[in-house]
Amino acid sequence: MPLDRTRPAAGTLVLQLIRATTGHDLDATRPIVLLVPGGPASSGVDNHAFLVGRLSDRLLAEFDVVGFDPRGVKHSNPIRCEHVKRPATLPDVSTDAGYAAAARVVRTFTEECLTSLGDRASLFGTTAAAADIDAIRAALGQTKLTFVGGSYGAKLGAEYARLYPGAIRAGVLDAPTDPQTSAVVTAEHQVKGFEDSLDEFIAWCLDRSCPRLTDVRAFIAALVAEADRSPIRSGRPQGDEPMRGSEVLDAVASSLYDVDRWPDLAAGLIEADDGDSGTLWDLRDASGNDPDDTTESDGRFVINCTDSGAAPTEAEIRRLAAHFKKSYPTFGVWGTWQLFGCSFWTAPKHTLPVPVAEAAPPLMVIGTIHDPATPYAGAVSMTRVLGNGSTLITWEGFAHAAFTRDPCIDALVDAYLISLSLPSDGTRCAA
């Protein structure tokens, strides 16, 4: 694959693909459905077996299922930056000292990352990855592509639809972010989404009389403060490091991705208060977005910066940090790190445009009412922006992304992917 399609001398990269076939010998001419991974920088290769195991027998009877790692991700010439570890206690960016401490860490990491990548720094954006997808389509002998993208994968799928509208047979965009907002607005949407989902967890917990969790927010705040004073040891045999306050909040946020994790979150908070962070470590890592997995976090940073528009000013960051702190009591300070984003990124950018795809066939866009990471409004906006008569499907559930989580959603997706049968716009599936 060309590393830079405008400059052949830049060299090539290798994309890692994985293909699953069920009940027959491998047939290169058989139709495929491409799973476009999220993140950005999540590995579609490492997660392939898990995802295929959640697909219906009906879908697997019709398609081989292909996963891949986009450029710069895990098995496809991974991006690697030097690292400065996030501070044990998150600075309050709304203060002078907090802003200076956070800016110093972000600036140092950015500069070291740019040095590591050199003139390759600008070659890993979403537009370049979309061109790679079309090369995958051609290499696999598919005249038209059938794909499913979730979370960031929906953003990448939308960019593919913008660039290659005539090459699409069917496409599902599950849990997209709002394509019309800036990075800082997206950051606030996400922090608010986690705060709102914590409200839902609190209501769930009160309904079940969770032991000792009568005031969940106060309990979490006290646990975070205690973990900052004295990190909480883990009783697990694998020897997790003691957990700091920022990691307690990572664990809570990860748990809000799926309502099925809520009982473990309730138990993990009590366990941590009793001096064992083991369950919270398990929950923190369950989302697949491990902040300590530098292969993924490096790729996410570089891809986002390549896609990004103008960075916020120091005044804007500090104003928004004060707003976050006041408006979002649990995740406000925790989320202010996102406000820096690409403030110190100096490599050329390929700012991702709004994905108008009027010439593409209608796609299926899925939004989840209680999605903490990519709030429902993003799916509404994406459906409207595409401008091609795409259909919005709504799941009234409590999770990040809907496909493979709900039988009603799965049946609608299967019917669309197999026979191009789109339900009416506005179709809803109950939780």
Side-chain angles (χ1 to χ4, degrees):
M1 197 73 65
L3 187 59
D4 184 348
R5 288 176 169 82
T6 68
R7 191 164 52 92
T12 61
L13 53 79
V14 176
L15 294 186
Q16 181 72 48
L17 276 66
I18 185 169
R19 183 169 183 158
T21 190
T22 306
H24 56 79
D25 294 332
L26 181 63
D27 177 0
T29 65
R30 194 162 186 263
I32 66 138
V33 59
L34 183 72
L35 302 183
V36 183
S42 293
S43 173
V45 172
D46 287 355
N47 296 329
H48 193 63
F50 171 76
L51 294 172
V52 170
R54 295 170 68 99
L55 300 178
S56 70
D57 292 341
R58 182 186 177 200
L59 196 65
L60 294 174
E62 297 291 333
F63 296 98
D64 284 358
V65 183
V66 175
F68 73 107
D69 282 0
R71 58 172 56 212
V73 176
K74 197 66 181 280
H75 303 288
S76 296
N77 291 81
I79 293 166
R80 300 191 189 280
C81 301
E82 297 298 325
H83 263 275
V84 223
K85 195 170 181 64
R86 189 170 69 173
T89 302
L90 291 179
D92 182 348
V93 178
S94 65
T95 67
D96 292 342
Y99 179 88
R104 184 165 53 251
V105 171
V106 177
R107 184 191 294 276
T108 302
F109 169 70
T110 303
E111 290 173 349
E112 292 181 348
C113 191
L114 289 167
T115 299
S116 297
L117 292 171
D119 62 3
R120 299 181 302 125
S122 64
L123 302 178
F124 297 98
T126 297
T127 297
D132 292 342
I133 287 178
D134 203 56
I136 291 171
R137 174 197 61 76
L140 295 178
Q142 305 292 304
T143 306
K144 303 275 188 177
L145 183 67
T146 300
F147 70 89
V148 178
S151 194
Y152 168 77
K155 177 189 286 189
L156 177 50
E159 177 67 352
Y160 182 78
R162 184 186 74 84
L163 291 173
Y164 304 97
I168 295 175
R169 175 184 169 272
V172 176
L173 309 178
D174 186 11
T177 53
D178 188 335
Q180 299 187 95
T181 59
S182 66
V184 293
V185 173
T186 297
E188 179 166 9
H189 286 174
Q190 187 170 87
V191 170
K192 184 178 186 302
F194 282 121
E195 206 75 46
D196 291 346
S197 290
L198 183 59
D199 284 338
E200 300 291 344
F201 169 74
I202 291 168
W204 174 90
C205 212
L206 290 175
D207 188 54
R208 285 156 182 78
S209 300
C210 295
R212 291 159 55 183
L213 295 180
T214 53
D215 186 339
V216 175
R217 274 197 167 80
F219 191 96
I220 292 172
L223 191 62
V224 168
E226 178 58 32
D228 282 336
R229 284 191 297 271
S230 178
I232 305 166
R233 295 185 178 276
S234 169
R236 295 291 193 270
Q238 64 265 35
D240 294 322
E241 292 183 2
M243 178 170 270
R244 305 169 302 175
S246 62
E247 292 156 343
V248 171
L249 290 173
D250 290 341
V252 176
S254 293
S255 304
L256 298 175
Y257 273 62
D258 189 339
V259 67
D260 291 341
R261 298 177 192 162
W262 291 5
D264 289 336
L265 174 58
L269 290 170
I270 298 301
E271 181 182 80
D273 191 49
D274 289 336
D276 184 352
S277 59
T279 295
L280 288 187
W281 275 118
D282 291 344
L283 290 167
R284 175 182 180 266
D285 297 338
S287 70
N289 294 322
D290 180 1
D292 291 337
D293 180 355
T294 59
T295 300
E296 183 168 343
S297 60
D298 290 355
R300 183 163 54 245
F301 176 74
V302 172
I303 292 165
N304 282 336
C305 286
T306 304
D307 289 350
S308 66
T313 64
E314 177 178 344
E316 289 171 326
I317 292 172
R318 297 184 67 168
R319 177 180 59 79
L320 286 166
H323 165 63
F324 277 28
K325 180 180 179 181
K326 179 180 179 181
S327 301
Y328 311 115
T330 298
F331 294 106
V333 172
W334 174 86
T336 55
W337 278 83
Q338 296 182 67
L339 296 174
F340 284 94
C342 305
S343 297
F344 308 112
W345 184 260
T346 57
K349 296 179 179 180
H350 303 283
T351 302
L352 197 63
V354 174
V356 177
E358 293 174 344
L363 307 179
M364 177 182 284
V365 183
I366 305 173
T368 298
I369 292 292
H370 303 286
D371 188 323
T374 55
Y376 178 72
V380 176
S381 179
M382 177 66 80
T383 308
R384 182 174 59 250
V385 161
L386 288 168
N388 63 342
S390 290
T391 293
L392 175 63
I393 307 302
T394 300
W395 182 41
E396 297 170 348
F398 301 80
H400 177 44
F403 182 47
T404 76
R405 295 187 189 276
D406 176 74
C408 171
I409 292 291
D410 293 354
L412 294 173
V413 172
D414 286 357
Y416 168 54
L417 295 180
I418 293 168
S419 52
L420 299 181
S421 174
L422 269 172
S424 301
D425 186 50
T427 296
R428 300 177 79 90
C429 290

